[in-house]
Amino acid sequence: MTDAFEGKELDLVQNISVDCVVFGFDLNALELNVLLIERKKNPDYEYEDFFALPGNLIRQSETFDQSAIRVLKELTSIQDIFLEQLMAFGNPNRTYLKENDRKWLQTIRPQPDERVVTIAYYSLINLEKYKPTASSFAKKAIWMPVKDVPELAFDHSQILNKAFEALKLKLRTEPVGFNLLPRKFTLGQLQSVYETILGIELDKRNFRRKMLNKDILIQLDEKQKGVAHKSPYLYKFDQAKYEALRDQKFDFSL
Amino acid sequence: MTDAFEGKELDLVQNISVDCVVFGFDLNALELNVLLIERKKNPDYEYEDFFALPGNLIRQSETFDQSAIRVLKELTSIQDIFLEQLMAFGNPNRTYLKENDRKWLQTIRPQPDERVVTIAYYSLINLEKYKPTASSFAKKAIWMPVKDVPELAFDHSQILNKAFEALKLKLRTEPVGFNLLPRKFTLGQLQSVYETILGIELDKRNFRRKMLNKDILIQLDEKQKGVAHKSPYLYKFDQAKYEALRDQKFDFSL
DNA sequence: AGTTCAAAGTGTTAAGTTTACACTTTGATT
DNA sequence: AATCAAAGTGTAAACTTAACACTTTGAACT
């Protein structure tokens, strides 16, 4: 038994896991990033490892939501974020398709050949604020631009794809772009979030008007400093107002 | 071992199930209905039974999609329909909360106290076309108006609620109302579907213009007969055209 | 100190969409 | 022949979206 076998394994449900797709937005590169882990390799095995989404088996007594929060924290130290269920993935062979996935599972699971079903979660967070630190069976935990992500472990590429589709839909439908930005942000930054994720160009004037007319942004008495051009006003998202308005009107689409 | 224990139980994953929320629309009563089963009671047990969503454990070798199709067919004989994953439900105590749920599980499961996680599916079908017939552990399989549904077994009321919310969102966002109607339908019937499910009133002229402008309905050279008023034209949904258009424009919202 | 640069900020018009609103037609039933 | 119930139809006003270009500002560079 390796380190990873220690402790709570009796408390784990051996065939159900959670995986977390955590998105962040890099304001310098203007790129959508995703949080990935690189798995610790057992020296007995020789193989090229894949990057993976942070995920692990759930505990008997946890809800899925609790599992997702715990697992993400255990592997990346990221906590206090809102995770939303995406969907369940359960192809019978999802953990067997690749030889190194199987080998890797043998190093951390008492029942490595069990069919494992996973509940995927996703989240939008401020990449600047949350700096991942690897622990448990994660060797590294890093932010990686979504466009650079190579093939991932198990069916994690498929999960990431679904999460990205869900993100695009959500961005068009609900005001969620703010979650990817610092608490105080400029309208230009917000526009970049939309343009980058949706892969479209937006007219600056129309975008501003539309956003401001939703009446859920508060302009602060503060400007962004240190930029090599006219300094823009900072805004923050008015959560309370949004919640109040949400019940009245249906449409918060872009 | 009772009847239900027979056969494939070794092939079943004892802690993962699927549940199906199948919606139909009653054109006479203008009501949204849902497909429910009444469970067979074991004569050894005395309890008031609940209605339940059709659902059961998945098999080891199946995908979730396959499980949902199989289980729905086994319990209600309904087949050849499109089922879409809603989400996973996995509260640790979801099968223990009610005494009669526990008793009932003891009559059909070799491991009745296992924590069972369920993957919920939902579907929109033409209630006239699909007449459920109970089999397996279902004593009855019936269509019931959603507004009349009593408390259901396990957390099925919660699942039904989520499915209904998903249906409302989908109806606003994608042209799915047709699935609840016969292949040939009138615009008045379509409007009723929207009005009933969304719980709103719509202006007839505006509704027709909007629907027809989407360019995904084909007016047939045929009118509805036997109605005690001016006979309306029948329409059908143009699936091919919809798929072609879908890639071009984003918005099919009502 | 002056120039350059890069993004911020700003308004208007035309086109398109949505809303509100009422009467005539038709076919079956009595 | 009269009645009923829903089908079918058009327009104007309000609102929303799309398309479009120039000036301002602050930092960085000379």
Side-chain angles (χ1 to χ4, degrees), chain A residues 130-141:
Chain A
Y130 297 94
K131 299 287 180 192
T133 318
S135 58
S136 181
F137 57 72
K139 187 172 75 183
K140 289 188 200 161

Side-chain angles (χ1 to χ4, degrees), chain B residues 11 16 20 23 30 77 81 86 123-124 169 185 191 198 200 214 218-219 233 244:
Chain B
D11 189 33
I16 304 176
C20 302
F23 290 113
L30 296 185
S77 80
I81 69 171
L86 176 63
S123 182
L124 311 179
L169 186 63
F185 53 87
Q191 188 177 339
L198 299 177
I200 55 180
K214 292 195 190 307
I218 300 169
Q219 183 177 343
Y233 275 102

Side-chain angles (χ1 to χ4, degrees), chain B residues 14-17 19 39 57 89-106 109 111-118 153-156:
Chain B
Q14 289 296 324
N15 64 343
I16 304 176
S17 65
D19 283 296
R39 300 176 293 195
L57 299 178
F89 292 80
N91 269 359
N93 57 2
R94 57 180 288 279
T95 57
Y96 308 137
L97 281 172
K98 300 167 198 162
E99 182 59 19
N100 51 358
D101 283 339
R102 207 184 291 145
K103 280 188 177 163
W104 182 75
L105 286 177
Q106 284 166 11
R109 298 254 168 98
Q111 297 166 45
D113 297 329
E114 185 94 3
R115 170 182 178 184
V116 179
V117 145
T118 200
F154 307 123
D155 56 353
H156 288 188

Side-chain angles (χ1 to χ4, degrees), chain B residues 99-166:
Chain B
E99 182 59 19
N100 51 358
D101 283 339
R102 207 184 291 145
K103 280 188 177 163
W104 182 75
L105 286 177
Q106 284 166 11
T107 71
I108 60 150
R109 298 254 168 98
Q111 297 166 45
D113 297 329
E114 185 94 3
R115 170 182 178 184
V116 179
V117 145
T118 200
I119 318 299
Y121 275 76
Y122 75 115
S123 182
L124 311 179
I125 68 175
N126 171 9
L127 174 143
E128 293 298 324
K129 185 171 166 194
Y130 296 93
K131 301 286 181 192
T133 317
S135 56
S136 181
F137 57 73
K139 188 173 74 183
K140 290 187 199 161
I142 55 159
W143 285 111
M144 188 184 285
V146 168
K147 68 168 182 41
D148 300 337
V149 171
E151 191 190 349
L152 299 177
F154 307 123
D155 56 353
H156 288 188
S157 294
Q158 190 197 341
I159 296 174
L160 173 57
N161 267 309
K162 277 277 184 188
F164 184 52
E165 291 306 315

Side-chain angles (χ1 to χ4, degrees), chain A residues 181-248:
Chain A
L181 292 172
R183 207 171 57 81
K184 300 172 182 181
F185 53 86
T186 70
L187 287 179
Q189 292 172 332
L190 187 59
Q191 189 178 339
S192 297
V193 166
Y194 280 85
E195 290 184 330
T196 306
I197 296 176
L198 299 177
I200 54 179
E201 288 211 337
L202 297 167
D203 180 88
K204 188 170 31 161
R205 282 169 290 192
N206 294 339
F207 178 81
R208 305 180 136 243
R209 190 181 12 245
K210 213 163 171 179
M211 275 295 154
L212 294 174
N213 280 344
K214 292 195 191 307
D215 213 24
I216 49 175
L217 291 186
I218 300 168
Q219 182 176 345
L220 303 172
D221 279 338
E222 204 179 337
K223 294 187 168 193
Q224 192 181 41
K225 289 305 213 36
V227 282
H229 52 75
K230 183 173 176 180
S231 62
Y233 276 102
L234 291 168
Y235 291 80
K236 66 176 187 182
F237 176 53
D238 189 338
Q239 183 76 40
K241 204 154 187 182
Y242 168 57
E243 279 166 23
L245 285 171
R246 192 180 40 186
D247 302 329
Q248 294 163 38

